[in-house]
Short mmCIF file of all heavy atoms in Angstrom, two decimals:
data_model
loop_
_atom_site.label_atom_id
_atom_site.label_comp_id
_atom_site.label_asym_id
_atom_site.label_seq_id
_atom_site.Cartn_x
_atom_site.Cartn_y
_atom_site.Cartn_z
N LEU I 208 -6.74 25.58 12.78
CA LEU I 208 -6.14 25.14 13.97
C LEU I 208 -5.58 23.72 13.87
O LEU I 208 -4.58 23.35 14.33
CB LEU I 208 -7.21 25.01 15.05
CG LEU I 208 -6.77 24.78 16.57
CD1 LEU I 208 -5.79 25.92 16.98
CD2 LEU I 208 -7.94 24.70 17.38
N GLU I 209 -6.31 22.83 13.00
CA GLU I 209 -5.97 21.40 12.80
C GLU I 209 -5.13 21.18 11.50
O GLU I 209 -4.75 20.08 11.24
CB GLU I 209 -7.14 20.58 12.83
CG GLU I 209 -7.98 20.64 14.05
CD GLU I 209 -7.21 20.12 15.28
OE1 GLU I 209 -6.33 19.29 15.05
OE2 GLU I 209 -7.49 20.54 16.42
N TRP I 210 -4.81 22.28 10.78
CA TRP I 210 -4.20 22.06 9.44
C TRP I 210 -2.83 21.46 9.57
O TRP I 210 -1.97 21.78 10.33
CB TRP I 210 -4.14 23.36 8.72
CG TRP I 210 -3.69 23.28 7.25
CD1 TRP I 210 -2.48 23.43 6.75
CD2 TRP I 210 -4.57 22.90 6.14
NE1 TRP I 210 -2.53 23.14 5.36
CE2 TRP I 210 -3.72 22.94 5.02
CE3 TRP I 210 -5.97 22.68 6.05
CZ2 TRP I 210 -4.31 22.61 3.81
CZ3 TRP I 210 -6.44 22.47 4.73
CH2 TRP I 210 -5.66 22.40 3.59
N GLN I 211 -2.58 20.43 8.69
CA GLN I 211 -1.30 19.74 8.60
C GLN I 211 -0.68 19.77 7.26
O GLN I 211 -1.38 19.79 6.32
CB GLN I 211 -1.40 18.33 9.07
CG GLN I 211 -1.96 18.12 10.50
CD GLN I 211 -2.07 16.67 10.83
OE1 GLN I 211 -1.32 15.79 10.33
NE2 GLN I 211 -3.15 16.35 11.70
N PRO I 212 0.68 19.84 7.09
CA PRO I 212 1.18 19.68 5.70
C PRO I 212 0.68 18.37 5.05
O PRO I 212 0.38 17.45 5.70
CB PRO I 212 2.68 19.77 5.97
CG PRO I 212 2.87 20.29 7.36
CD PRO I 212 1.62 19.95 8.11
N LEU I 213 0.77 18.46 3.76
CA LEU I 213 0.37 17.33 3.00
C LEU I 213 1.03 15.98 3.35
O LEU I 213 2.31 16.03 3.38
CB LEU I 213 0.55 17.57 1.46
CG LEU I 213 0.21 16.51 0.57
CD1 LEU I 213 -1.38 16.38 0.48
CD2 LEU I 213 0.59 16.74 -0.90
N ASN I 214 0.31 15.12 3.70
CA ASN I 214 0.87 13.73 4.06
C ASN I 214 -0.07 12.68 3.43
O ASN I 214 -1.19 12.73 3.77
CB ASN I 214 0.97 13.61 5.55
CG ASN I 214 1.62 12.24 5.88
OD1 ASN I 214 1.18 11.11 5.56
ND2 ASN I 214 2.70 12.31 6.62
N GLN I 215 0.43 11.88 2.47
CA GLN I 215 -0.54 10.96 1.75
C GLN I 215 -1.15 9.92 2.67
O GLN I 215 -2.21 9.40 2.32
CB GLN I 215 0.28 10.24 0.61
CG GLN I 215 0.74 11.14 -0.49
CD GLN I 215 -0.52 11.89 -1.10
OE1 GLN I 215 -1.52 11.17 -1.40
NE2 GLN I 215 -0.38 13.09 -1.42
N LEU I 216 -0.56 9.66 3.81
CA LEU I 216 -1.27 8.76 4.77
C LEU I 216 -2.18 9.28 5.79
O LEU I 216 -3.06 8.68 6.31
CB LEU I 216 -0.08 7.82 5.36
CG LEU I 216 0.80 7.02 4.44
CD1 LEU I 216 1.85 6.17 5.17
CD2 LEU I 216 -0.11 6.04 3.65
N THR I 217 -1.84 10.46 6.25
CA THR I 217 -2.51 11.12 7.33
C THR I 217 -3.22 12.40 7.14
O THR I 217 -4.12 12.81 7.83
CB THR I 217 -1.54 11.28 8.53
OG1 THR I 217 -0.58 12.19 8.21
CG2 THR I 217 -0.97 9.97 8.99
N ALA I 218 -2.86 13.26 6.02
CA ALA I 218 -3.48 14.44 5.78
C ALA I 218 -3.45 14.69 4.25
O ALA I 218 -2.67 15.65 3.78
CB ALA I 218 -2.67 15.55 6.54
N ASN I 219 -4.22 13.91 3.46
CA ASN I 219 -4.20 14.17 2.10
C ASN I 219 -5.49 14.83 1.58
O ASN I 219 -6.27 15.23 2.47
CB ASN I 219 -3.97 12.79 1.39
CG ASN I 219 -5.12 11.70 1.61
OD1 ASN I 219 -6.26 12.08 1.78
ND2 ASN I 219 -4.77 10.47 1.63
N CYS I 220 -5.62 14.91 0.29
CA CYS I 220 -6.82 15.62 -0.27
C CYS I 220 -8.11 14.97 0.09
O CYS I 220 -9.15 15.62 0.31
CB CYS I 220 -6.73 15.75 -1.78
SG CYS I 220 -6.61 14.11 -2.61
N GLN I 221 -8.07 13.66 0.29
CA GLN I 221 -9.24 12.97 0.68
C GLN I 221 -9.69 13.14 2.20
O GLN I 221 -10.90 13.16 2.49
CB GLN I 221 -9.17 11.44 0.28
CG GLN I 221 -9.03 11.22 -1.15
CD GLN I 221 -8.53 9.86 -1.48
OE1 GLN I 221 -9.00 8.85 -0.94
NE2 GLN I 221 -7.65 9.66 -2.47
N HIS I 222 -8.72 13.19 3.04
CA HIS I 222 -9.04 13.64 4.36
C HIS I 222 -9.69 14.94 4.44
O HIS I 222 -10.58 15.19 5.17
CB HIS I 222 -7.67 13.66 5.20
CG HIS I 222 -7.06 12.28 5.43
ND1 HIS I 222 -5.99 11.90 4.74
CD2 HIS I 222 -7.44 11.38 6.21
CE1 HIS I 222 -5.71 10.64 5.21
NE2 HIS I 222 -6.55 10.28 6.18
#
Side-chain angles (χ1 to χ4, degrees):
L208 191 64
E209 301 294 333
W210 190 261
Q211 300 177 32
L213 181 68
N214 182 303
Q215 290 300 317
L216 296 178
T217 61
N219 63 32
C220 61
Q221 296 169 40
H222 290 104

